[in-house]
Amino acid sequence: MENTDLILCESDKDHYIKILDKYFTIYQQYLIPLVDKMNSDFAEMQIKDISYDLDDVADLFVSAENSFIASLICLEYQKWQHSVYLFISHENLMNDYPIEECVEYEIRGGVREKLKKYGINVNEFESWDKIQEMRLLVNTIKHFTGHSYNDLKKLRPDFFELYNGFDIERSALSSGDFVLNLTGNDYISYHKALISFWNELYITLNDNKF
């Protein structure tokens, strides 16, 4: 497919950002209160000395919190990626390419490769390193082992550290449950990077017009 001009108007840029903000709303309105409730319940168990194995309960709460955050990160990354693909496909449709070609084009290659065809170097975006880290994390969550796992472990060894005595990798190998040491701040940093991407893409495309 030949290169065509991409046009990203401010209203469309804001639309894509609002899509991502819906996930942040879920984090604020549902995930944070849920985590606070779990922490409160655990503190009450310690005070009342309830006859549970508190280490097991702590591990369960850590696993649940990290699973919620991991799921949110995966969902938002996937939505961002699909939004970029749809944006490019829409622009190609507006340039009179057959819909079959646009759909086929949508499923080939990654975001960086797609935008490179239009002269856009996302490596220059301030948000890109964080988005690449997010991609490694999403692949690791989905597949556990592999190149992304190895690269992420070098980049973010803190994700694989012991968490209050909870051996992440040993637990994953023995039980099949793979839990990374994720926090709400990690999710927020990835969310901000995806928002910044759309702002940087908007500036880049509009600067190129002048």
Side-chain angles (χ1 to χ4, degrees):
M1 179 178 288
E2 296 179 0
N3 293 354
T4 59
D5 290 333
L6 297 177
I7 299 174
L8 180 62
C9 65
E10 187 171 8
S11 61
D12 286 343
K13 181 259 294 181
D14 291 342
H15 168 72
Y16 291 123
I17 288 176
K18 285 180 181 178
I19 291 174
L20 298 176
D21 279 338
K22 290 180 180 179
Y23 292 90
F24 189 70
T25 299
I26 293 173
Y27 170 75
Q28 287 184 309
Q29 294 186 358
Y30 298 101
L31 184 54
I32 290 179
L34 179 60
V35 171
D36 289 344
K37 180 66 166 58
M38 289 194 301
N39 290 333
S40 175
D41 288 348
F42 183 68
E44 186 175 350
M45 288 179 183
Q46 291 177 305
I47 293 172
K48 294 182 176 180
D49 194 24
I50 297 176
S51 59
Y52 292 114
D53 186 327
L54 292 182
D55 287 338
D56 286 345
V57 174
D59 288 350
L60 177 63
F61 282 6
V62 168
S63 177
E65 179 180 357
N66 281 271
S67 295
F68 289 140
I69 294 172
S71 297
L72 198 58
I73 288 172
C74 288
L75 287 170
E76 188 164 342
Y77 179 83
Q78 185 179 41
K79 177 59 70 173
W80 164 80
Q81 189 179 51
H82 288 175
S83 294
V84 176
Y85 294 169
L86 288 172
F87 161 65
I88 295 174
S89 295
H90 174 266
E91 290 304 299
N92 288 323
L93 279 171
M94 294 299 99
N95 284 279
D96 297 326
Y97 280 94
I99 189 170
E100 294 81 4
E101 290 186 35
C102 294
V103 171
E104 181 185 3
Y105 184 68
E106 179 186 331
I107 63 177
R108 294 201 307 263
V111 169
R112 177 168 49 191
E113 289 72 23
K114 290 178 184 300
L115 291 175
K116 186 177 180 181
K117 295 178 182 294
Y118 301 89
I120 300 169
N121 183 7
V122 294
N123 289 325
E124 297 177 351
F125 288 10
E126 291 184 8
S127 60
W128 192 247
D129 285 345
K130 199 66 181 177
I131 291 174
Q132 285 298 93
E133 179 186 309
M134 189 180 188
R135 179 184 64 82
L136 295 176
L137 174 59
V138 169
N139 286 341
T140 299
I141 292 169
K142 293 192 315 187
H143 307 297
F144 181 27
T145 57
H147 294 299
S148 293
Y149 170 90
N150 294 327
D151 291 342
L152 182 66
K153 195 170 183 181
K154 294 175 184 177
L155 185 64
R156 293 295 304 268
D158 54 305
F159 285 166
F160 301 84
E161 291 174 354
L162 295 179
Y163 193 101
N164 292 334
F166 182 71
D167 192 332
I168 293 170
E169 291 189 83
R170 185 177 64 195
S171 175
L173 293 173
S174 62
S175 68
D177 296 326
F178 181 53
V179 182
L180 288 164
N181 184 12
L182 299 172
T183 68
N185 288 333
D186 293 313
Y187 164 70
I188 292 172
S189 69
Y190 294 133
H191 172 75
K192 288 181 177 178
L194 298 182
I195 299 296
S196 295
F197 169 87
W198 284 112
N199 287 320
E200 289 179 284
L201 182 61
Y202 171 76
I203 292 171
T204 298
L205 289 174
N206 284 277
D207 282 351
N208 286 344
K209 293 179 181 179
F210 304 101

